[in-house]
Amino acid sequence: MRIEIIIVPYDSGRRGFRMGAGPERLIAYGLEETLRATGCESAVATIELADGFAAEIAAAFELNRLLARRVRAAIAEKNFPLVCAGNCNSTLGTIAGTGDENIGLVWFDAHGDFNTPETTESGFFDGMGLATIAGRCWQNMAVSVPGFRPIAGRRIVHIAARDVSAVESELMADASVRVVGAAIIRGSEMAAIEPALAALRKEVETVHIHLDLDVLDPEEAPANEFAVAGGLSVGQAEAAIRMIKSRFAISSATIASYDPAVDPDGRTAKAALRLVTAIIGT
Ligand SMILES: [Mn+2]
């Protein structure tokens, strides 16, 4: 398999800032060598904004428009799109670019990412990423991304959440997103995700894997300043990915929200490469 690594080195529309530094760090840490070790050739493409001022929300959607076109081209060339992004909302453009209207989504994240402009307290656009993908907010911006169609909540499984507000929980339940929280998973090993995957399998055959690295426990692999205790071990995340791969075709994947500044010894980068191997390797 040939892999196109598509990097989106931005956080909140700012290139190389905070988690925007993550994609290039993972390349420097040996992402291509890791893929080669699984028997895959790769090439790197970079998504970049044109020079000039862009407002935050406008920048996020412009990156998604550019990304969607790049993902579509990669798939047309029979390449697997592996997106490395500063922010989680890049999964919107990635899924749009697959052009697959029957796609499902498995979203690994400590956070719900299911706020809306009416519920957010942080004002961080990325906290609304999954709600946007589910068609719950920013509809007018989202339709500007070529190929975008909202993904119904019943086609979304959210894994290992542990920092979700009450209002986000309500919105996710209202949208029928299947949520398997971190506490349940940690208590039962990975068997806890089995019913959600089985239910998803009744809806779809192909999924996109979204990996916010803060799904990992920060004791083992600190990903960013928003990381929360009580996350998955790298081994548990690998096991979950194997379970997904045994049940679904994988269209594409996103690795997001890695801030090298909180990972001075490279533990999290190493963990990310292990998880890439789990996603891509046989
Ligand atoms: Mn997160």
Side-chain angles (χ1 to χ4, degrees):
M1 185 162 60
R2 265 181 56 87
I3 314 294
E4 184 162 318
I5 301 167
I6 307 174
I7 67 170
V8 190
Y10 289 81
D11 183 345
S12 307
R14 297 165 72 175
R15 198 193 195 290
F17 176 79
R18 200 173 59 166
M19 298 181 287
E24 277 151 343
R25 176 63 65 90
L26 293 178
I27 302 275
Y29 216 84
L31 179 55
E32 290 202 272
E33 292 78 359
T34 298
L35 291 170
R36 203 168 304 130
T38 71
C40 294
E41 289 298 308
S42 62
V44 179
T46 304
I47 302 297
E48 283 182 297
L49 295 174
D51 289 340
F53 179 82
E56 182 200 346
I57 307 294
F61 283 97
E62 174 63 4
L63 288 169
N64 275 302
R65 287 189 286 269
L66 296 168
L67 177 59
R69 291 189 194 102
R70 189 63 242 168
V71 167
R72 179 176 297 193
I75 290 172
E77 293 157 18
K78 308 267 184 258
N79 293 334
F80 179 93
L82 174 62
V83 174
C84 288
N87 289 145
C88 287
N89 70 74
S90 287
T91 283
L92 190 156
T94 308
I95 288 176
T98 67
D100 180 352
E101 54 190 282
N102 298 311
I103 200 167
L105 172 58
V106 183
W107 187 281
F108 289 86
D109 203 316
H111 308 97
D113 290 2
F114 221 84
N115 273 297
T116 71
E118 308 308 325
T119 71
T120 180
E121 292 180 350
S122 69
F124 185 28
F125 173 62
D126 221 28
M128 312 177 213
L130 186 54
T132 308
I133 290 168
R136 294 288 162 140
C137 57
W138 297 109
Q139 292 100 336
N140 204 39
M141 296 300 291
V143 294
S144 73
V145 178
F148 176 73
R149 291 178 204 84
I151 299 198
R154 64 177 188 284
R155 286 196 271 135
I156 301 171
V157 172
H158 189 298
I159 294 181
R162 52 202 185 274
D163 185 3
V164 180
S165 69
V167 64
E168 274 184 295
S169 281
E170 257 172 54
L171 290 171
M172 291 169 102
D174 183 60
S176 305
V177 174
R178 294 186 174 87
V179 180
V180 190
I184 296 165
I185 295 174
R186 281 164 60 99
S188 77
E189 292 307 312
M190 299 319 296
I193 69 170
E194 176 73 55
L197 294 182
L200 182 62
R201 186 64 186 75
K202 293 202 175 92
E203 303 282 343
V204 302
E205 293 175 2
T206 302
V207 297
H208 172 89
I209 296 180
H210 172 91
L211 199 58
D212 180 327
L213 288 172
D214 71 23
V215 77
L216 299 172
D217 195 279
E219 289 271 331
E220 186 179 358
N224 57 50
E225 66 189 72
F226 309 107
V228 191
L232 301 187
S233 68
V234 180
Q236 286 173 324
E238 273 182 323
I241 290 165
R242 276 197 298 273
M243 288 171 71
I244 295 161
K245 284 180 67 180
S246 71
R247 288 161 179 79
F248 298 93
I250 311 300
S251 62
S252 43
T254 312
I255 310 276
S257 301
Y258 170 53
D259 179 359
V262 306
D263 182 36
D265 58 8
R267 280 187 286 166
T268 309
K270 201 182 280 180
L273 298 185
R274 261 179 73 182
L275 296 176
V276 165
T277 299
I279 293 168
I280 304 295
T282 48

